[in-house]
Amino acid sequence: DIQMTQSPSSLSASVGDRVTITCRASQGISSYLAWFQQKPGEAPKSLIYGASTLQSGVPSKFSGSGSGTEFTLTISGLQPEDFATYYCQQYIYYPLTFGGGTKVEI
Amino acid sequence: EVQLAESGGGLVQPGGSLRLSCAASGFSFYNYWMTWVRQAPGKGLEWVANIKEDGNEKYYMDSVKGRFTISRDNAKNSVYLQVNSLRAEDTAVYYCARLGRKDYGWLPPDSWGRGVLLTVSS
């Protein structure tokens, strides 16, 4: 199985900050990488697929990059509604696997 | 508007069975792969199963193979997860989601239900 490792597991930031989350795959996954946002008590929300393609309706302050084994999610101009847990997922090989999550806190 | 509504969760004893349902609306259900993803209390997301548009391809995570069965009824716009031989570690919120559409295959989820809680305990 492909292991997805996110770092950091949590981070503290302030409104207006730019934050970057890293996701590493245990083997190459080309660009088959997705990002999700989840707030407490809510269902996940899909942000990005194909490592860098925004899902419909997702604001451009979210951006993704990378290929192979290393990927990043960047959030520019952090707003109160962006404080949440973010997950990456590889979807090239079964079983599909998620990273452990990164909690973005104030 | 895409809507996905899970139901059928509850408290089940170890070794028991249950069927989770997900009713879809607002899109052409028969054109989309569907998936189940779960989340144990306080833990991260875990993929469970995928099913193709016509139900002829199904994929499962290793720990549920032989115990869980994903199925769909395109006439009823519904996807199901039959869960058998339940264990305490199956306790989780189970989300159904629509996989994104592309010419061949599928893309990651683009719409999610609110989830349903399954608790396995004596």
Side-chain angles (χ1 to χ4, degrees), chain A residues 1 32-34 36 38 41-46 48-50 55 87 89 91-92 94-100, chain B residues 33 35 37 39 43-47 50 59-62 95 99 102 106-115:
Chain A
D1 299 1
Y32 290 82
L33 191 283
F36 305 91
Q38 188 179 34
E42 296 186 8
K45 176 185 175 182
S46 302
I48 286 170
Y49 66 93
Q55 290 278 5
Y87 295 93
Q89 183 204 34
Y91 59 97
I92 187 173
Y94 286 111
L96 311 181
T97 46
F98 287 90
Chain B
W33 284 68
T35 189
V37 172
Q39 186 169 36
K43 303 296 185 183
L45 301 174
E46 184 174 52
W47 170 77
N50 279 6
Y59 301 89
Y60 300 92
M61 62 180 296
D62 287 347
Y95 296 101
L99 295 178
K102 67 175 187 178
W106 49 271
L107 292 171
D110 59 10
S111 299
W112 297 74
R114 293 187 176 183

Side-chain angles (χ1 to χ4, degrees), chain A residues 6-89:
Chain A
Q6 288 182 232
S7 60
S9 56
S10 66
L11 65 90
S12 295
S14 300
V15 171
D17 283 356
R18 181 173 183 263
V19 301
T20 298
I21 299 167
T22 298
C23 177
R24 289 186 174 88
S26 60
Q27 65 186 77
I29 59 170
S30 185
S31 296
Y32 290 82
L33 191 283
W35 290 99
F36 305 91
Q37 175 196 65
Q38 188 179 34
K39 299 176 183 178
E42 296 186 8
K45 176 185 175 182
S46 302
L47 297 177
I48 286 170
Y49 66 93
S52 61
T53 303
L54 292 179
Q55 290 278 5
S56 175
V58 174
S60 58
K61 64 179 174 181
F62 292 96
S63 62
S65 65
S67 68
T69 61
E70 187 153 337
F71 303 84
T72 59
L73 172 70
T74 299
I75 312 169
S76 301
L78 208 61
Q79 293 301 305
E81 62 268 22
D82 302 327
F83 291 93
T85 300
Y86 293 84
Y87 295 93
C88 62
Q89 183 204 34

Side-chain angles (χ1 to χ4, degrees), chain A residues 94, chain B residues 24 27-35 49-59 70-80 97-107:
Chain A
Y94 286 111
Chain B
F27 65 100
S28 300
F29 179 74
Y30 56 88
N31 278 339
Y32 288 84
W33 284 68
M34 298 294 292
T35 189
N50 279 6
I51 187 166
K52 193 180 177 185
E53 299 101 322
D54 59 9
N56 286 338
E57 290 183 33
K58 304 174 184 181
Y59 301 89
I70 189 171
S71 62
R72 64 191 296 160
D73 185 338
N74 287 345
K76 294 183 178 180
N77 290 341
S78 294
V79 61
Y80 308 99
R98 184 182 82 170
L99 295 178
R101 192 159 179 243
K102 67 175 187 178
D103 287 343
Y104 297 100
W106 49 271
L107 292 171

